[in-house]
Amino acid sequence: MTSPVLAARMQALLLAGCHMALVMVTVPVWIGLLRWMAAMMEGERRLPDPTAHWRTLLHAWRQVGVRSAAGAQVTAVAPWLALAAGMMAALLVPSFATGMPGGDLSDVLVIGGLLEMAFLALVVAALAPGLARPGHTGLRVVAGGIMIQPVMLLACGVLGMCLPDGTLAGLVRQAHVADMNLVRAPLALLAGALVVAGVGEGDGTTSRLSAAMLEDLAGPDRAVAQYARDLLAVVWMMLARDLIWPEGIVEPDILSRSWVLVPMLVAVALWVAHMLLACGCVAAIRVFVVSGQRHAGWRAGLALLCAVMAGVLLFAGRGIS
């Protein structure tokens, strides 16, 4: 193995390690900030502590694990399977730099498939014990999650027309060398569609359903399931961020220069700022746009409308040009 190839592989592993550490540590923080922003927009007097979610997860982890006799083997594996699928999806969605292992697989269809696999693993964990309340809640959550399927198909179709290879790595490369004005509005609408359909945090009804679905789990199983659920929401927001601001992601050839820390720190700062903005946008959508008893129906309709409008704008822009 030649020295440049070895150096490139070491750089890819280093980038992947920094990326995963950054994402995994900050997941509970983003969820806490999202809930804090939603509560502030709703005008609540006592705002939740943004860091309290970390303490909740740690408290659940330290509790004694108890599993129902029915489906104990399934509930022992399903939360960890959801976490593994969520971590694989997070690895494919760049935060501050490209060039990580699996970058050529960063297709929206692959990422969406991994997120759906994690979602279904959490539902299986709720259905396996055979209890009425978690099982019924799991079926309700599955019925609401079906709406992401047509949105994902439309998103893959539009991205296939926007980009030569349809991957996030290709989007970043194109953003650094070409004019993105023609596809910026369609990509922004696609990002909005994916966030509306995929992120359920920030809404009281969805939070209560998720808590009821996992109420039979205890100890590390519950902590892992809650963390995996939060990770899915954060990955959807990261995916939307990459579609809207691909210029904020550093390309790997920049990292070979002597002032390597400067572009990396700037890219990390941009990612943090963009994620804060994404949390604010999601909270605003949950409070002002799709709130109420028909929350799931409004989410489905708005997400499909955004995805269809993205395709319409893309065709219209190409026709004008």
Side-chain angles (χ1 to χ4, degrees), residues 286-298:
R286 291 291 174 266
V287 175
F288 301 113
V289 181
V290 292
S291 60
Q293 296 181 351
R294 298 184 179 181
H295 170 262
W298 281 109

Side-chain angles (χ1 to χ4, degrees), residues 97-248:
T98 57
M100 295 179 292
D104 294 335
L105 298 175
S106 57
D107 188 276
V108 176
L109 187 61
V110 177
I111 298 170
L114 290 171
L115 293 175
E116 285 294 294
M117 181 188 302
F119 171 77
L120 291 176
L122 293 177
V123 174
V124 168
L127 297 176
L131 301 179
R133 179 177 165 83
H136 183 262
T137 306
L139 292 177
R140 287 184 61 187
V141 172
V142 167
I146 293 176
M147 65 182 180
I148 194 66
Q149 308 302 328
V151 176
M152 286 300 304
L153 292 176
L154 288 173
C156 292
V158 174
L159 283 177
M161 293 184 288
C162 289
L163 306 174
D165 56 359
T167 63
L168 294 179
L171 174 63
V172 174
R173 288 192 295 267
Q174 182 173 335
H176 283 283
V177 300
D179 186 11
M180 296 288 292
N181 291 331
L182 183 62
V183 298
R184 193 171 296 279
L187 289 178
L189 285 170
L190 277 183
L194 294 176
V195 165
V196 170
V199 181
E201 280 294 334
D203 176 76
T205 303
T206 304
S207 299
R208 287 191 296 271
L209 287 176
S210 300
M213 189 174 69
L214 302 177
E215 69 179 7
D216 187 58
L217 301 179
D221 292 342
R222 185 179 183 86
V224 170
Q226 288 179 336
Y227 185 89
R229 181 198 63 191
D230 299 337
L231 179 61
L232 300 188
V234 171
V235 173
W236 281 120
M237 290 192 290
M238 289 173 55
L239 178 58
R241 177 261 180 182
D242 290 350
L243 292 177
I244 299 176
W245 297 292
E247 297 89 349

Side-chain angles (χ1 to χ4, degrees), residues 13-25:
L13 292 176
L14 176 62
L15 288 174
C18 295
H19 162 75
M20 291 303 296
L22 178 65
V23 173
M24 302 300 286
V25 170

